[in-house]
Amino acid sequence: MLDDAAVFPPGLAPLPEAVEAHREHEESWYGGLVGPLVVAASGLAELGAVLGSGEGAGYAAGPLPIAVTLPKGPAQVAGVLDAMTDLPVALVALEIAVPDGVNPGELIATLDEAPAGTSVEVYVEIPRDERRGPLLAALAGTRYLAKFRTGGVRAELYPDEAELAATIRAAVEAGVPFKATAGLHHALRNTDPETGFEQHGFLNLLLATEAVARGADDAEVRALLVERDGAVVAARVRELGEERVAAARARFLSFGTCSIIDPLTELVDLGLVDRPGGEP
């Protein structure tokens, strides 16, 4: 559920520290919640240097699972795959931006020709404009997944609850699973005390996804996205039960977070994850 985006804002962890911390996360009691380390295509050379040094020695037992962001679009795929040929990594996912002027049909055709193996998840970053609907329609029935931005370093990068509810509905109705990235710093909807930004909660997003899937109207979905009461949100998650949670998670696959510990701690505090006795 937690894709390790430690090297991205606002965390901006140095890559050697991020690699070391990621292995610790993987080997911890909560390792089952931890997804790949997310790195930018431009960071692969540095990653090679880290993994080839003593700082990467902790990965001698196995390859480092990574997801790679491609901000320049599918034209970067071949270069990324070439760059990883000699790296001790396991490519889990590619997260690909849509260049301006590329229509959905052209994008799918280009992705189909890219040499990424079928075991690699391929996410297409859906723009927050009129291209959203056509792109999701084009992804429907393909192997490709969606990626949504839910925040950033400026207030305007956060979609409001109406826009996010519409985005979730569009993806669910198209049958396209998705991940989210940026701005999901907490389990619950909140106002950041330093910036004043209205931030979405990842549990709110989970509940909203489940609600759309069972046919809830827009008013209910928006209400779930803005709920700030932890007891209310946690109770709603528990009420779903394993089957409905699994169905929602099959649609909302994961989210990128610059901290693995912060969301984990909140899940523990809400009583939704049990910390083994004696574990930190």
Side-chain angles (χ1 to χ4, degrees):
M1 186 176 189
L2 311 175
D3 290 345
D4 189 354
V7 300
F8 292 88
L12 295 174
L15 189 56
E17 294 179 11
V19 169
E20 181 179 359
H22 188 82
R23 176 56 90 191
E24 293 175 358
H25 293 318
E26 282 191 308
E27 296 176 345
S28 70
W29 62 269
Y30 53 86
L33 289 172
V34 180
L37 180 68
V38 186
V39 297
S42 59
L44 290 176
E46 182 186 0
L47 180 62
V50 170
L51 295 177
S53 70
E55 295 161 316
Y59 273 88
L64 169 67
I66 65 169
V68 181
T69 64
L70 286 69
K72 296 181 181 179
Q76 289 184 282
V77 173
V80 164
L81 296 179
D82 287 344
M84 292 191 301
T85 301
D86 297 321
L87 293 181
V89 300
L91 180 62
V92 174
L94 297 172
E95 303 179 9
I96 302 174
V98 180
D100 291 339
V102 175
N103 67 49
E106 291 172 336
L107 176 71
I108 298 300
T110 302
L111 291 176
D112 285 344
E113 294 172 359
T118 56
S119 63
V120 177
E121 294 180 335
V122 178
Y123 291 85
V124 174
E125 184 171 322
I126 306 298
R128 292 175 56 204
D129 55 31
E130 69 281 355
R131 292 175 290 173
R132 180 185 69 193
L135 276 169
L136 286 171
L139 296 180
T142 72
R143 57 169 291 211
Y144 306 120
L145 309 165
K147 172 183 173 180
F148 301 129
R149 289 197 171 271
T150 46
V153 296
R154 302 189 308 277
E156 65 269 21
L157 297 178
Y158 288 80
D160 63 18
E161 58 272 14
E163 179 184 344
L164 185 54
T167 300
I168 295 168
R169 186 174 298 280
V172 170
E173 291 181 349
V176 181
F178 63 92
K179 70 167 290 184
T181 190
L184 291 174
H185 301 302
H186 298 285
L188 307 173
R189 173 71 174 246
N190 66 93
T191 303
D192 186 275
E194 296 183 3
T195 64
F197 297 167
E198 288 297 301
Q199 296 183 335
H200 297 290
F202 61 84
L203 289 182
N204 300 82
L205 183 52
L206 176 69
L207 288 173
T209 302
E210 191 279 332
V212 170
R214 62 175 162 78
D217 62 22
D218 290 341
E220 180 181 351
V221 176
R222 291 195 298 269
L224 289 169
L225 287 173
V226 299
E227 179 58 65
R228 297 167 184 258
D229 189 314
V232 170
V233 171
R236 292 292 296 264
V237 172
R238 290 189 196 94
E239 290 168 2
L240 294 181
E242 291 185 9
E243 185 174 339
R244 289 166 67 187
V245 167
R249 287 296 318 284
R251 296 172 171 89
F252 172 29
L253 300 174
S254 65
F255 66 96
T257 174
C258 62
S259 169
I260 298 296
I261 298 301
D262 288 351
L264 173 69
T265 300
E266 293 186 5
L267 289 171
V268 171
D269 290 344
L270 289 167
L272 295 173
V273 169
D274 294 326
R275 187 194 306 271
E279 293 290 348

